[in-house]
């Protein structure tokens, strides 16, 4: 049995239990917990009680001002999960004959859960499609735009521009009560890698200067960060780094170091959950896992006067759980522990971002 503490907030916890017999995943919700407290919850499966340790988040001070949600790497049009280039090893996962395409299943579940929190905005951080085909974008729009209308804000990812497409291009400023979102278009058309160009850094600098509330920067590609603690393949400063070019990554950090109104940068692209500190500014550089396969997540942000709480949710609709669970061991043939890589730790998924950087 695998018991994953997938979500914690200041007063709640969620545990997903994967039985060892191949049965369905069970979901266990706990509420009315004490904030910022180490405690034990009792998970009951088939009459057996298993104590599971959880630590709730601190509750930021002041009033709750707004709530917004994000998804990324939704990949409408994808037919095979776990494939790298043209390799036929994986293991590879496909929807069974007669089943709905798995991006439809996973994104419907995400939309349903996001709708319940009544967010002020929903932000999609790229890779709406697998190849930027009109029918893939149409499927994305039918799922998300129909649900959220003017609250939906979208920027492209590398999969949306492999053929030089310009749909969903451009930087955006999104004003919410208590927070300003700087949504950056990090795409280099026809490339997998990304960048933040000098003019974008200047745009962000000006936005941060004029913002009357804390700024959260967001984009598709994750940041390159020099220093100890990074994985071996990331250590080298390289023009073909899988995420933001090191120069663009440095530009981002330099603006953040100069403008204390910027409190975090959040991205997708890597299909993993991880948080690191930027080298100069020290603020969080966050990666959110994909919606389309394991563990199948979306992120909620609660904006308080005294901080922003990030809460990652694993979709729990039965059909979404069945699909995401089947993807737990993607890339095993490449000796990648996708389960550990994609899920990360609870501290990578759920935490509080300080709004006062001088504290």
């Amino acid at each position: 049995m695998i018991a994953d503490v997938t979500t914690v907030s200041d007063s709640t916890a969620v545990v997903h239990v994967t039985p060892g017999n191949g049965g369905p995943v069970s979901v266990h919700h706990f509420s009315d917990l004490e904030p910022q407290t180490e405690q034990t919850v009792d998970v009951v499966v088939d009459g057996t009680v298993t104590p599971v340790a959880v630590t709730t988040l601190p509750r930021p001070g002041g009033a709750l001002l707004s709530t917004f949600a994000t998804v990324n790497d939704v990949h409408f049009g994808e037919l095979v999960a776990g494939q790298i280039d043209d390799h036929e090893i994986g293991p590879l996962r496909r929807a069974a004959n007669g089943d709905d395409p798995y991006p439809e299943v996973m994104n419907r579940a995400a939309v349903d859960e996001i709708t319940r929190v009544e967010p002020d905005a929903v932000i999609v951080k790229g890779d709406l499609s697998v190849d930027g085909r009109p029918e893939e974008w149409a499927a994305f729009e039918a799922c998300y735009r129909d649900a959220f209308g003017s609250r939906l804000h979208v920027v492209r990812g590398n999969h949306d521009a492999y053929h030089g497409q310009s749909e969903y291009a451009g930087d955006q400023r999104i004003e919410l009560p208590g927070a300003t979102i700087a949504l950056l278009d990090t795409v280099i058309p026809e490339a997998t890698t990304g960048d933040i160009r000098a003019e974008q850094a200047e745009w962000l600098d000006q936005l941060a200067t004029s913002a009357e509330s804390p700024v959260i920067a967001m984009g598709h590609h994750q940041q390159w960060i020099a220093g100890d603690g990074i994985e071996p393949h990331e250590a080298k400063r390289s023009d073909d780094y899988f995420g933001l070019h090191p120069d663009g990554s440095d530009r981002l950090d330099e603006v953040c170091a100069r403008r204390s109104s910027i409190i975090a940068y959040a991205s997708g692209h890597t299909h993993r959950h991880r948080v690191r500190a930027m080298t100069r500014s020290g603020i969080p550089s966050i990666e959110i896992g994909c919606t389309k396969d394991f563990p199948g997540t979306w992120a909620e942000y609660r904006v308080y006067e005294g901080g922003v709480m990030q809460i990652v949710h694993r979709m729990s609709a039965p059909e979404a759980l069945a699909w995401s669970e089947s993807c737990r061991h993607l890339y095993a043939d490449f000796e990648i522990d996708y389960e550990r890589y994609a899920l990360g730790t609870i501290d990578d998924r759920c935490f509080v971002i300080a709004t006062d950087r001088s504290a």
Side-chain angles (χ1 to χ4, degrees):
M1 182 184 81
I2 301 171
D4 291 320
V5 181
T6 50
T7 300
V8 294
S9 71
D10 57 327
S11 61
T12 62
V14 181
V15 181
H16 285 77
V17 176
T18 303
N21 60 8
V25 177
S26 59
V27 187
H28 305 264
H29 295 268
F30 302 91
S31 58
D32 299 322
L33 304 178
E34 287 295 317
Q36 201 171 2
T37 304
E38 296 180 10
Q39 51 206 293
T40 299
V41 296
D42 289 333
V43 175
V44 182
V45 180
D46 296 330
T48 300
V49 179
T50 302
V52 176
V54 300
T55 302
T56 50
L57 300 179
R59 181 175 297 151
L64 176 64
L65 302 176
S66 63
T67 300
F68 65 97
T70 72
V71 295
N72 47 259
D73 303 280
V74 300
H75 286 228
F76 280 90
E78 185 176 286
L79 300 176
V80 184
Q83 189 162 36
I84 296 179
D85 299 326
D86 295 325
H87 295 294
E88 286 301 319
I89 60 174
L92 306 181
R93 294 287 298 122
R94 297 175 173 87
N97 289 337
D99 287 352
D100 287 343
Y102 61 83
E104 303 270 354
V105 170
M106 299 302 289
N107 285 288
R108 280 200 304 262
V111 166
D112 182 60
E113 291 190 10
I114 293 169
T115 298
R116 294 178 208 165
V117 306
E118 300 181 346
D120 296 284
V122 176
I123 297 166
V124 185
K125 306 195 304 291
D127 279 6
L128 327 176
S129 65
V130 71
D131 201 41
R133 292 187 289 263
E135 60 269 25
E136 295 168 355
W137 286 326
F140 165 79
E141 289 285 336
C143 186
Y144 282 91
R145 188 78 61 185
D146 288 358
F148 300 115
S150 61
R151 291 180 292 164
L152 184 68
H153 307 271
V154 186
V155 75
R156 62 184 176 171
N158 51 290
H159 274 269
D160 306 309
Y162 276 148
H163 306 290
Q165 304 99 312
S166 59
E167 283 81 356
Y168 305 103
D171 305 326
Q172 302 167 51
R173 179 173 183 155
I174 304 161
E175 295 287 353
L176 298 174
T180 298
I181 311 300
L183 189 55
L184 294 159
D185 178 0
T186 62
V187 164
I188 302 171
E190 303 181 18
T192 299
T193 57
D195 199 5
I196 292 178
R197 303 180 306 278
E199 58 268 29
Q200 289 180 289
E202 178 61 27
W203 175 83
L204 179 61
D205 187 279
Q206 293 178 5
L207 179 150
T209 301
S210 63
E212 297 181 356
S213 54
V215 176
I216 301 175
M218 293 188 165
H220 180 67
H221 292 84
Q222 87 283 4
Q223 190 177 18
W224 182 84
I225 298 177
D228 295 335
I230 63 176
E231 296 179 359
H233 72 279
E234 299 177 313
K236 181 181 177 181
R237 189 180 186 93
S238 170
D239 286 340
D240 60 0
Y241 173 65
F242 180 67
L244 288 177
H245 190 283
D247 291 348
S249 296
D250 288 349
R251 289 187 198 102
L252 174 61
D253 194 8
E254 288 164 4
V255 175
C256 294
R258 189 163 58 247
R259 303 300 176 199
S260 61
S261 58
I262 306 175
I263 60 171
Y265 172 70
S267 66
H269 190 55
T270 55
H271 298 195
R272 76 185 304 177
H273 295 94
R274 180 170 64 162
V275 60
R276 298 167 293 161
M278 293 190 194
T279 304
R280 293 186 58 191
S281 64
I283 67 171
S285 187
I286 303 160
E287 296 162 50
I288 300 295
C290 71
T291 302
K292 71 174 182 79
D293 57 56
F294 181 80
T297 52
W298 61 279
E300 175 188 0
Y301 295 86
R302 299 177 187 172
V303 180
Y304 291 85
E305 290 176 322
V308 178
M309 188 183 299
Q310 175 180 295
I311 308 167
V312 167
H313 301 270
R314 184 181 186 192
M315 279 98 72
S316 294
E319 62 275 18
L321 275 177
W323 170 258
S324 66
E325 196 63 24
S326 76
C327 296
R328 187 182 278 266
H329 301 296
L330 296 179
Y331 312 107
D333 293 340
F334 296 92
E335 299 184 350
I336 295 172
D337 185 351
Y338 189 61
E339 175 182 22
R340 182 178 178 183
Y341 168 91
L343 189 60
T345 70
I346 191 67
D347 293 335
D348 288 316
R349 299 190 301 275
C350 301
F351 50 85
V352 173
I353 304 167
T355 51
D356 182 0
R357 287 173 50 182
S358 64

